[in-house]
Amino acid sequence: MAKADGEIVIKKYANRRLYNTGTSTYVTLEDLAKMVKKGEDFVVQDAKSGDDITHSVLTQIIFEQESKTGNTLLPISFLRQLISYYGDQMQMVVPSFLEHSMKAFTEQQTQMREQMTKAFGDHPLSKNLQMPIQLMEEQVKRNTEMFQQAMQMFSPFLGGQQPAKETKKAEAKDIDELKEQLRSLQNKLDNL
């Protein structure tokens, strides 16, 4: 069966090879990453058992992307916080919150791109990065506030105590890291 409800079926064999039944070709994790970026929907099945293993394969793609480029999307503070939710009462809430947050971010991405184009114009080398930095800071703050509000709904006893302080420190560190990366990028552009 090549497709199920419009999804491409990828079969994973015991030798770790991935077979795209839609194109009748073997593919790599990099190929699957490209399919995701193009918006192509697929499901990965264990070739022998038929079990859906899409989650583990997508996680493997994230791991490879994080380790090969050196430009990580997942800050250490986020990973630590995410790990802490496993086995916690919040484990049930976190996936839907993260999915909602990513959907909201994706919807705002077009607006952010338009604002960055206005800030940079046709000559990005002659502009500074102050406006994009402010836009990113505002977005991070909004997403963090949404996350904290959701967590407080399900953890009313935590209130504004120690975990909130740690979260604010982590946020400040993440924002500082983002500012430094943008400054570094600006310096490289100026040197060009």
Side-chain angles (χ1 to χ4, degrees):
M1 180 166 109
K3 292 188 179 186
D5 298 328
E7 292 181 333
I8 298 167
V9 176
I10 308 294
K11 299 276 186 179
K12 185 173 184 180
Y13 291 92
N15 63 1
R16 298 184 184 163
R17 293 197 69 186
L18 299 163
Y19 184 76
N20 183 334
T21 60
T23 60
S24 299
T25 58
Y26 285 99
V27 293
T28 64
L29 290 176
E30 184 67 32
D31 295 328
L32 294 182
K34 289 176 185 175
M35 290 172 67
V36 168
K37 290 176 183 180
K38 290 180 186 176
E40 296 178 26
D41 202 9
F42 61 86
V43 62
V44 183
Q45 295 177 349
D46 182 276
K48 187 174 184 179
S49 67
D51 293 341
D52 185 342
I53 57 170
T54 308
H55 185 274
S56 64
V57 170
L58 291 174
T59 304
Q60 188 177 0
I61 291 170
I62 291 170
F63 176 75
E64 280 197 4
Q65 293 293 316
E66 287 281 308
S67 64
K68 90 174 178 185
T69 63
N71 295 325
T72 61
L73 289 177
L74 305 173
I76 290 173
S77 59
F78 173 80
L79 293 172
R80 289 181 196 273
Q81 194 169 19
L82 189 61
I83 291 168
S84 73
Y85 288 123
Y86 282 97
D88 186 273
Q89 64 188 10
M90 298 305 296
Q91 184 173 347
M92 301 279 292
V93 177
V94 172
S96 60
F97 174 79
L98 291 175
E99 187 173 359
H100 175 73
S101 295
M102 286 305 294
K103 182 179 179 188
F105 182 75
T106 301
E107 290 170 355
Q108 294 170 357
Q109 192 174 24
T110 302
Q111 180 184 0
M112 288 176 64
R113 284 185 178 161
E114 289 172 2
Q115 290 174 343
M116 288 184 77
T117 300
K118 287 179 186 176
F120 286 135
D122 292 334
H123 305 287
L125 297 176
S126 63
K127 303 289 182 180
N128 69 28
L129 292 175
Q130 190 58 38
M131 182 150 173
I133 289 173
Q134 291 172 345
L135 294 172
M136 295 295 272
E137 286 176 351
E138 290 172 15
Q139 186 62 42
V140 168
K141 286 178 186 176
R142 280 194 300 260
N143 287 345
T144 304
E145 288 170 3
M146 276 183 15
F147 184 71
Q148 287 175 337
Q149 289 171 358
M151 293 301 116
Q152 287 176 354
M153 284 177 24
F154 293 99
S155 300
F157 300 110
L158 289 178
Q161 298 183 18
Q162 189 68 11
K165 287 182 182 178
E166 291 175 8
T167 302
K168 287 182 181 180
K169 287 180 185 177
E171 289 171 24
K173 184 179 178 188
D174 290 343
I175 290 172
D176 289 342
E177 287 175 6
L178 181 59
K179 285 180 181 178
E180 184 57 38
Q181 289 174 357
L182 288 171
R183 280 188 199 104
S184 173
L185 178 61
Q186 180 64 44
N187 289 338
K188 287 179 184 176
L189 289 173
D190 289 343
N191 289 336
L192 290 173

